[in-house]
Amino acid sequence: MVSFESDYIAGAHPEVLRRLMETNTEPLPGYGSDPYCESAKDKIRKAVGMPEAEVYFLTGGTQTNAVVISTMLADYEGVIAAKTGHVSSHEAGAIEYTGHEVLELPQKDGKIAAETLKKYLEDYYADANHEHMPFPGMVYISHPTEYGTLYSKAELESISAVCREYELPLFLDGARLAYGLMSRETDLALAEIARLCDVFYIGGTKVGALCGEAVVFTKGNMPKHFLTSVKKRGALLAKGRLLGVQFDALFTDDLYFRIGRHAIEMAEKLKDIIRKHDLPVFIQSPTNQQFVVLENRQMEKLGKEIAFSFWEKADDSHTVVRFATGWSTTEEDLAALDEALGRSRS
Amino acid sequence: MVSFESDYIAGAHPEVLRRLMETNTEPLPGYGSDPYCESAKDKIRKAVGMPEAEVYFLTGGTQTNAVVISTMLADYEGVIAAKTGHVSSHEAGAIEYTGHEVLELPQKDGKIAAETLKKYLEDYYADANHEHMPFPGMVYISHPTEYGTLYSKAELESISAVCREYELPLFLDGARLAYGLMSRETDLALAEIARLCDVFYIGGTKVGALCGEAVVFTKGNMPKHFLTSVKKRGALLAKGRLLGVQFDALFTDDLYFRIGRHAIEMAEKLKDIIRKHDLPVFIQSPTNQQFVVLENRQMEKLGKEIAFSFWEKADDSHTVVRFATGWSTTEEDLAALDEALGRSRS
Amino acid sequence: MVSFESDYIAGAHPEVLRRLMETNTEPLPGYGSDPYCESAKDKIRKAVGMPEAEVYFLTGGTQTNAVVISTMLADYEGVIAAKTGHVSSHEAGAIEYTGHEVLELPQKDGKIAAETLKKYLEDYYADANHEHMPFPGMVYISHPTEYGTLYSKAELESISAVCREYELPLFLDGARLAYGLMSRETDLALAEIARLCDVFYIGGTKVGALCGEAVVFTKGNMPKHFLTSVKKRGALLAKGRLLGVQFDALFTDDLYFRIGRHAIEMAEKLKDIIRKHDLPVFIQSPTNQQFVVLENRQMEKLGKEIAFSFWEKADDSHTVVRFATGWSTTEEDLAALDEALGRSRS
Amino acid sequence: MVSFESDYIAGAHPEVLRRLMETNTEPLPGYGSDPYCESAKDKIRKAVGMPEAEVYFLTGGTQTNAVVISTMLADYEGVIAAKTGHVSSHEAGAIEYTGHEVLELPQKDGKIAAETLKKYLEDYYADANHEHMPFPGMVYISHPTEYGTLYSKAELESISAVCREYELPLFLDGARLAYGLMSRETDLALAEIARLCDVFYIGGTKVGALCGEAVVFTKGNMPKHFLTSVKKRGALLAKGRLLGVQFDALFTDDLYFRIGRHAIEMAEKLKDIIRKHDLPVFIQSPTNQQFVVLENRQMEKLGKEIAFSFWEKADDSHTVVRFATGWSTTEEDLAALDEALGRSRS
């Protein structure tokens, strides 16, 4: 069935898979100490414009969030995040499992505002009993957000400024970073993100890898003996090459950005189809995830031909659904959707 | 450089890699709900001779140990293991990170004895203050052990009997299970292991997969809502297919066992070479890991031509080193070792 | 200085202290196995009208919440609480430290409504991805709440009914239970609470003890080997008698209820004084905590004569403050407050 | 029944209890911010001869060990302790509950030797795979040990020197410190302990308090925002005065040392009685705990008149038991024991 269910419906991008094959029989040391990991780190350092950045490869998004947050927070600290942030709501309590509270902020379209953050921090320190609450120890944002929206450069600069004022590391979850970077509506380049954040990750799983996320520490702030902390969390792969080779491929010949650009092109055409069929848009998303409201019977009918994902109930007769594009989305997929949408209406 | 450094020096076995390629573009649902995961589980159920067994795929060995142990123990329990067990000594405190103590037993050649276990349990319950100590809640063994040794059928039956008597689940870490099953000196078949253990895992990472371990719950005892507990530990892969496809390949046409047999054949020839060069054997291992004592200067010389791994200091002038075989070990590798050993002597 | 700062400003009620003195030199076994603990448990079982209830003594409120919640939740579960609940906001992340998320519900006057709870549970189970979120595993309420308000019998019955429907234990934090039971506006007796809740605690620290909370499990549901879990959390006192003797005294001759009644009488007179001085009431509280809005200059002036506690900023020139009564509050204290309030106005 | 069961069989020393009574009605702020806590800290700073030491009061021994160790260790570290150390074996996994491993060393009479420690550290860092094991992050010793034995000044200096060399904080568990300080066979004064250790605690529970341990940080090394970390672990008492008043009394007119001296005198007389009755001594203890081997029938007979505690089985017909003295032990108790021992023989 043609699928827009997510950006992780297919395996690896062919160029990634090819490199896995080409390097498959080379005997390599384990645990991330192989030359492909080194080469991938170098390429990432170049791509983010920071020769001194520290890069570490982990396997999946929730794991990365939990490892980074729990190793960077002090014992008495929690992490600030939007109420809709992935760490707040869709990780089965993975942050709490590490012993830390997620301090939830109100959000708009999945984003937090610098003013909201600042107000929260002021109120916290103004409270005479604040020592009975976890100290704010880090700010977590996602870009693109869980709703596909993006921070503007000005917005990220404001948030970053508040973080600097309060000496809070700013952590950007880039599980879908490529789609933010290649969006037609962004003014935020990778180098800006590296400059404004203290740590962020470049998502691989949702951008053409079989698995893998590349964490970038930008301020010489990788937690000490990070490998041991990663191992302790069961997050250290014996065949670290699996991550190294994939990221080496993703950062060769701009593959990471090409995948992003392709998915964005497909998403723009998807938006044309949505408009053509007069489907109400749930939220304006400039990236690879598109959220539309479907009448329930239409949803059911469409669901027989096309895979997409349930997002939330809109009302008793309507549902918000998500269509996502990715490296494997084709013009044929879009045409199939267009036709199926036509049929689903009647 | 020719390498005997470990059984995870190479990528995936060609048949595994081929299946990853063949299925790469199929759109599939995430988080382990794809048909390859289902098919792989079916094949594993057949291989272990338990149509009702529950199978769950995780990514690596330490992760698997921590997830299984922490979800099966009650709050007030710890896990019993040999002092040399992987969970006791080489997982950076991953079990303790989940809030549980490893209760260490004396061992011989990496194995615990049923009598030692029974004595420990008797003493525990005889102690008037035992409620001030964690209750024994599970027994962990590895097969092959960290020293490459194997439990005999009689030994495993005795341990299993003690576990039944004390109502303790018996957990077998099979990170290298294939090499135990195909050893020339074993009388323990896979079906016996499934019958005698309450949970065990079939290691993929060290037996031809890029990553992946298949946990088998044999008594209808998979922890409730296991997916949520796995997610909470950051151990749920979005592209669950990566594990499903690989294990589907490993359990097609007996590949898992063929890999085991090949590595054992190579190990037997390796043992011949060791004998030929009169190298003292540190421990008699009937599986794919061979431990020998090298004079330090010979070790240094050999290390320039052949990769192997440091195990432990024997004395001031000798070192225990490990040679491991795997799916990728060839006759040429063995010949190279033989020649290099010759040269290293002089 | 005369103090209304909290209900834990003084030591133990004289009758409690007297019993500590009288029993001081008796040699007793440790860890809660002494006869005073047994006697206190019996008296509490009688007071709650449940001969089969299990009672366990712990030291403080946050400790009790963390121990009870973490031992009753399954691994994959979180605890539902009002956003203003003590566990949500004033325990420095103590619940998260045990690895579990607090699932926050909207509240009114510190209370959650059965409808809100039911809606939350329906939405949770309707969500196709709910397995990526912690399962709701328990409902936490406080009575009196953090705002001094009370659940009516009808309200508690409705909440209890929803909990039964979803098979969720209902946990009532009774850190100030005496003040709820003796309120002039309550229709909820102790036996009703025991019937409607699955576990609750009878607060001692804030009701005349030096320390101590009595947890009551009403359904044969005390977690197995609870002593070991308590010890594991560093919450087991060697001299368990300290808790046993105190609760034995509190439940002798209705002392617990007498303390409650006294504090309520003092609070009613406090309310008269508040009315007399035309102070705006922040929230109508039928218990021993009274929240009023003070103009900032008045607050400062008053603060030189009378101790009270800061609650929150109302606006730039006003502040919400709390006055609390307890076993040690006297008519003289009230007269002093009355006079000081008069002076603070001018 | 006359009891030598432990040093926590009685309530508080009369001078401690008197101060609790005298201060009982004073209204005081909570959470340790009262003047008695301040005064007690000052007196302790004087007693240890360190005007700059930081002092913090906690409630019990296991709690103190868990709080101190878990807030001082880095994420990737474990704590080194004797295999017989309280944290290793009698705290129900309280250290592991905080996510850290106890790294066990061989011991003699409950003590670790500087050489053993040094060897362990050398071996750890010599191991090529040490990053797969927790880093040693602290050394825990108890003084007196769990067997009542004591470190000599020379021994503690050697251990401290190894700790300095490896930059490991040295933590001394002084649950029974008074009995060590007042032993007739010690050359270690309190000021020496403060100088040689980085953190230690002065036990109150077992030395005349109802509860309470005073942690002393000697190097400006109290963990940042310690109150919040304490609260997070459920270890913050609302009525902090309970601890402050007691320690203030214990450090007034040398009460702490007088209690120690009294118990030691009683223990010396106890040793005379043991000798008189020719009971084999299990371990030579210079402090308030005496371990003897009793023939089982004698033990049973004696147990009908005198309370003592079971320590461990010696052989099929003999048992090691413990007699402990404390502030409440009297000459009459000793005479009763003497007589009962006489009767138990026949």
Side-chain angles (χ1 to χ4, degrees), chain A residues 16-287:
Chain A
V16 171
L17 202 54
R18 183 165 50 81
R19 287 302 290 151
L20 284 172
M21 290 163 51
E22 289 170 354
T23 60
N24 190 56
T25 54
E26 293 179 33
L28 295 176
Y31 304 111
S33 60
D34 63 89
Y36 294 104
C37 283
E38 274 321 299
S39 162
K41 289 177 184 184
D42 275 346
K43 288 173 180 169
I44 287 172
R45 278 187 279 257
K46 279 205 188 81
V48 307
M50 280 206 168
E52 305 296 319
E54 293 159 304
V55 182
Y56 204 96
F57 300 116
L58 291 165
T59 307
T62 294
Q63 180 182 86
T64 300
N65 287 333
V67 170
V68 169
I69 290 170
S70 66
T71 53
M72 292 190 71
L73 288 184
D75 179 79
Y76 48 85
E77 294 177 336
V79 59
I80 294 175
K83 199 174 163 39
T84 53
H86 207 260
V87 293
S88 312
S89 53
H90 282 91
E91 301 193 345
I95 304 305
E96 289 80 6
Y97 187 62
T98 72
H100 295 280
E101 186 170 345
V102 180
L103 308 165
E104 297 182 354
L105 286 196
Q107 51 80 41
K108 192 160 177 299
D109 297 348
K111 300 194 290 179
I112 56 172
E115 299 72 40
T116 315
L117 173 62
K118 175 139 192 172
K119 178 73 168 51
Y120 176 89
L121 293 166
E122 284 171 354
D123 286 355
Y124 174 82
Y125 284 104
D127 189 323
N129 294 312
H130 73 258
E131 287 195 320
H132 290 217
M133 297 179 262
F135 281 72
M138 178 183 241
V139 174
Y140 164 96
I141 57 174
S142 44
H143 179 86
T145 69
E146 292 69 20
Y147 290 97
T149 54
L150 292 172
Y151 287 90
S152 70
K153 189 175 156 186
E155 287 170 339
L156 192 63
E157 276 177 337
S158 303
I159 290 173
S160 181
V162 176
C163 288
R164 298 282 148 84
E165 185 186 342
Y166 284 86
E167 295 183 356
L168 295 175
L170 176 57
F171 172 33
L172 184 145
D173 171 339
R176 294 184 165 97
L177 191 55
Y179 310 125
L181 296 171
M182 294 297 110
S183 167
R184 294 176 184 178
E185 297 173 36
T186 192
D187 59 351
L188 252 178
L190 186 48
E192 290 298 321
I193 287 171
R195 185 177 61 84
L196 294 169
C197 296
D198 298 279
V199 55
F200 66 100
Y201 74 92
I202 299 172
T205 303
K206 289 163 180 167
V207 189
L210 291 167
C211 62
E213 323 294 320
V215 188
V216 184
F217 297 93
T218 64
K219 308 279 184 293
N221 55 342
M222 186 164 86
K224 205 175 154 185
H225 297 311
F226 195 59
L227 182 142
T228 305
S229 290
V230 167
K231 176 84 181 166
K232 177 176 176 172
R233 284 154 178 82
L236 186 64
L237 284 193
K239 293 188 181 171
R241 68 195 292 154
L242 172 56
L243 305 175
V245 169
Q246 290 188 96
F247 271 98
D248 196 52
L250 286 171
F251 282 84
T252 298
D253 299 335
D254 287 335
L255 175 58
Y256 194 73
F257 305 95
R258 283 185 282 130
I259 291 174
R261 196 175 306 120
H262 171 77
I264 289 295
E265 273 169 31
M266 294 295 106
E268 291 296 330
K269 289 183 179 174
L270 175 60
K271 281 155 98 165
D272 292 341
I273 293 169
I274 290 167
R275 265 188 296 272
K276 173 181 158 192
H277 289 276
D278 276 332
L279 298 176
V281 166
F282 173 64
I283 199 166
Q284 289 296 343
S285 155
T287 59

Side-chain angles (χ1 to χ4, degrees), chain C residues 37-294:
Chain C
C37 283
E38 273 322 299
S39 164
K41 290 177 184 182
D42 274 346
K43 289 174 181 170
I44 287 171
R45 279 187 279 257
K46 279 205 188 80
V48 307
M50 282 205 164
E52 305 296 320
E54 295 159 303
V55 182
Y56 204 96
F57 301 117
L58 291 166
T59 307
T62 294
Q63 180 184 87
T64 300
N65 287 333
V67 170
V68 170
I69 290 170
S70 66
T71 53
M72 293 190 69
L73 289 184
D75 179 78
Y76 47 85
E77 293 177 336
V79 58
I80 294 175
K83 198 174 164 39
T84 53
H86 207 259
V87 294
S88 312
S89 53
H90 282 92
E91 302 193 343
I95 305 307
E96 290 80 5
Y97 187 62
T98 73
H100 295 281
E101 186 170 345
V102 180
L103 309 165
E104 297 182 354
L105 286 196
Q107 51 81 40
K108 189 157 179 301
D109 296 347
K111 300 194 288 180
I112 57 172
E115 300 73 42
T116 315
L117 174 61
K118 176 140 193 171
K119 178 77 168 50
Y120 176 89
L121 293 165
E122 286 171 354
D123 287 356
Y124 175 81
Y125 284 105
D127 188 325
N129 293 313
H130 74 258
E131 288 196 319
H132 289 217
M133 297 178 263
F135 281 73
M138 177 183 243
V139 174
Y140 165 97
I141 58 173
S142 43
H143 179 87
T145 67
E146 291 70 19
Y147 290 98
T149 54
L150 293 172
Y151 287 90
S152 70
K153 191 175 153 184
E155 286 170 341
L156 191 63
E157 276 177 337
S158 304
I159 290 174
S160 182
V162 176
C163 288
R164 298 282 148 83
E165 186 185 342
Y166 283 87
E167 295 184 358
L168 294 176
L170 176 57
F171 172 34
L172 183 145
D173 172 340
R176 296 184 164 96
L177 191 55
Y179 310 125
L181 296 172
M182 293 298 110
S183 168
R184 296 177 182 176
E185 298 174 35
T186 191
D187 60 352
L188 251 179
L190 187 47
E192 290 298 320
I193 287 171
R195 186 178 60 83
L196 294 169
C197 296
D198 299 278
V199 55
F200 67 99
Y201 73 93
I202 299 172
T205 303
K206 288 163 180 165
V207 190
L210 290 168
C211 61
E213 323 293 319
V215 188
V216 184
F217 297 93
T218 64
K219 309 276 185 293
N221 56 342
M222 186 164 86
K224 203 175 157 187
H225 297 311
F226 195 58
L227 183 142
T228 306
S229 290
V230 167
K231 175 83 180 168
K232 178 175 176 172
R233 283 152 178 84
L236 187 63
L237 284 194
K239 293 188 181 172
R241 67 196 292 151
L242 172 58
L243 305 175
V245 170
Q246 291 189 95
F247 271 98
D248 196 51
L250 286 172
F251 281 85
T252 297
D253 299 335
D254 287 337
L255 176 59
Y256 194 72
F257 304 94
R258 284 186 281 131
I259 291 175
R261 196 176 307 120
H262 171 76
I264 290 296
E265 273 168 32
M266 294 295 105
E268 290 298 328
K269 290 183 178 173
L270 175 61
K271 281 156 97 165
D272 292 341
I273 293 170
I274 290 166
R275 265 189 296 273
K276 173 180 159 193
H277 290 277
D278 275 334
L279 299 175
V281 166
F282 174 64
I283 200 166
Q284 289 296 343
S285 155
T287 58
N288 74 317
Q289 301 182 84
Q290 299 299 323
F291 301 87
V292 300
V293 182
L294 290 182

